[in-house]
Amino acid sequence: MFTELEIVERCLLMFSKPGRWTQKTCARDRQGKPVPVFSQEARSFDLEGVIRRAAGIEDRGAYARFAPLIKTQVGKYPFDWNDQAGRTQKDVTRMLEDLADEFRFKEVA
């Protein structure tokens, strides 16, 4: 299993290219159709989907560990925050960068 920092870094890598983020479903294929998170066709992800995919299929509890941390940071449940009108991939990436910094700080402290 990956550490929390490794999971966030993998999320950031997945969102490093435009068009890799989505709303209203955990994952979509190239045509924009919803697909399972671990599908080979999955190309874009919402916040929950990217955490699950980055953690790997064997770490089924990853999203449950991250949800309260993200809620504390943004003031909403992650899926509500992700799906809010006007939200962008850049917003999600910045939030994940902040979360990664928190994990890095804890490693040093």
Side-chain angles (χ1 to χ4, degrees), residues 10-108:
R10 289 169 58 95
C11 291
L12 288 167
L13 181 63
M14 292 170 74
F15 282 161
S16 65
K17 294 182 180 173
R20 294 297 175 105
W21 172 76
T22 193
Q23 292 179 300
K24 309 293 184 193
T25 190
C26 286
R28 295 183 188 275
D29 65 12
R30 289 183 198 276
Q31 288 74 42
K33 295 178 185 169
V35 294
V37 168
F38 294 105
S39 166
Q40 294 292 337
E41 287 80 36
R43 292 294 177 267
S44 63
F45 304 88
D46 74 350
L47 188 52
E48 178 181 349
V50 78
I51 291 168
R52 291 183 186 280
R53 183 71 175 241
I57 198 165
E58 59 282 339
D59 187 355
R60 301 220 178 250
Y63 181 73
R65 292 193 311 275
F66 276 87
L69 301 172
I70 294 169
K71 185 179 179 196
T72 298
Q73 192 170 355
V74 299
K76 291 185 175 190
Y77 286 104
F79 51 84
D80 290 332
W81 184 80
N82 182 89
D83 291 348
Q84 188 175 336
R87 182 75 55 225
T88 67
Q89 181 170 334
K90 188 172 229 166
D91 296 332
V92 177
T93 300
R94 284 182 181 152
M95 185 278 301
L96 289 168
E97 288 169 344
D98 290 345
L99 194 57
D101 288 344
E102 295 268 332
F103 289 132
R104 288 183 192 107
F105 179 75
K106 285 180 184 177
E107 284 184 352
V108 174

